[in-house]
Amino acid sequence: MDNFMELKGISLHYHPKEHFIEGKFTGVALTDTGAQAMQAIIATIEKHDCPYVFFDVSETLSMLTTAENFEFATSLMEMGFLDDRYRWSIYYKADPHIYEMLHNVIKMQSIAHLYIDNNKESAMKWLMDQKNT
């Protein structure tokens, strides 16, 4: 398992056979924590030369205001979500605020390399399908 920067609540694991990175974040999402998590994910992508990321944030809650959520989503986009070399599949369910907003931004901007879903199987299937395209 790859754990970077000893972030409480985040775990990252590279699956060599299936060639994808699985991440999980639990707890309260704050802007600083999200930025550190993104840095850890990018480091794992580079370490394993693997652009496929499944990230489970189903047990994460945001304590940010709507404006802070928008700023947070924008910073995540700039930190790696907009990089079309990577394929991101995000599974969420607990907190609709930031994830539903991201979902809408993805649709409006037609970002094909980023998928967000509140169904874990659908999110994983999308990522595995990306490996075959």
Side-chain angles (χ1 to χ4, degrees), residues 110-126:
S110 299
I111 302 171
H113 58 276
L114 177 58
Y115 183 81
I116 189 162
D117 201 321
N118 61 359
N119 180 291
K120 188 173 186 175
E121 290 76 27
S122 295
M124 183 60 80
K125 181 182 181 324
W126 179 88

Side-chain angles (χ1 to χ4, degrees), residues 71-82:
E71 186 176 312
F72 179 56
T74 300
S75 69
L76 290 180
M77 293 291 189
E78 292 169 358
M79 293 174 72
F81 280 162
L82 288 180

